Amino acid sequence: LGALTREARDALTPDQIIAKLKEGNLRFREGRKISRDFLAEQRATASGQYPAAVFLSCIDSRAPSEVLFNLGLGDVFNCRLAGNVENPDILGSMEFTTKLAGAKLVLVIGHSACGAVAGAIANAELGNLTQLLAKIRPAIAATAFDGEKAASNPAYVDAVRLCFSSNLCQ
């Protein structure tokens, strides 16, 4: 395997990158992950990196992109923030990855049982977290849902998360 080279990354189309991500996720789900020599990948990327994609995902410890997609060092850039909320700093980082560093794909990754979404539903307030959760709150009002609209209802939390992270509010 090894880390992506500039030539290998540049030869990939966005569709091929998506196909490789799907293959890696299938391997993860089936428990047949490819073993990685992370020390060799670290040495290979020490003088440069050529990630094919950038992920915007949540900080949730159960959802690390490299593990879920069976990726190695140097394969993707990661922007992780509670609730995968975008802000000017995240957008600037993503501009860097796509316009200056050559990433060809942006992928927004949501996950079930998101604590940030549940916190927004529950009106949690805590220092800087309050401002972050305020960005999720419009999706609460925009989410059509039949059932209990509470942070303790996993189906409702997932419906709000889907609305927020994909703009699929009904």
Side-chain angles (χ1 to χ4, degrees), residues 14-30:
D15 286 339
Q16 290 171 321
I17 297 166
I18 290 171
K20 288 184 177 294
L21 293 172
K22 287 180 177 180
E23 291 168 10
N25 183 249
L26 180 62
R27 284 192 306 275
F28 169 79
R29 293 190 330 262
E30 293 178 348

Side-chain angles (χ1 to χ4, degrees), residues 10-162:
D10 290 350
L12 293 170
T13 67
D15 286 339
Q16 290 171 321
I17 297 166
I18 290 171
K20 288 184 177 294
L21 293 172
K22 287 180 177 180
E23 291 168 10
N25 183 249
L26 180 62
R27 284 192 306 275
F28 169 79
R29 293 190 330 262
E30 293 178 348
R32 23 177 217 96
K33 297 187 310 178
I34 295 171
S35 294
R36 302 258 178 200
D37 183 345
F38 291 115
L39 289 177
E41 290 177 0
Q42 186 277 327
R43 286 189 294 274
T45 59
S47 62
Q49 59 176 334
Y50 306 101
V54 56
F55 291 171
L56 171 57
S57 60
C58 186
I59 63 167
D60 192 289
S61 65
R62 301 163 295 175
S65 301
E66 285 86 355
V67 174
L68 297 177
F69 292 94
N70 195 203
L71 300 169
L73 298 181
D75 287 344
V76 295
F77 289 106
N78 278 292
C79 295
R80 294 183 75 178
L81 197 63
N84 59 335
V85 173
E86 54 86 11
N87 65 33
D89 296 326
I90 293 290
L91 293 176
S93 296
M94 294 173 96
E95 287 171 347
F96 165 78
T97 66
T98 56
K99 297 297 183 184
L100 299 177
K104 296 181 176 187
L105 181 73
V106 174
L107 187 63
V108 178
I109 304 172
H111 68 93
S112 59
C114 182
V117 173
I121 294 168
N123 291 312
E125 293 188 7
L126 177 66
N128 292 305
L129 180 64
T130 303
Q131 295 174 355
L132 186 141
L133 297 182
K135 295 177 180 179
I136 298 172
R137 288 198 177 99
I140 297 167
T143 300
F145 186 80
D146 293 327
E148 182 185 14
K149 295 181 177 181
S152 59
N153 181 351
Y156 181 59
V157 171
D158 288 347
V160 172
R161 190 246 341 132
L162 182 61

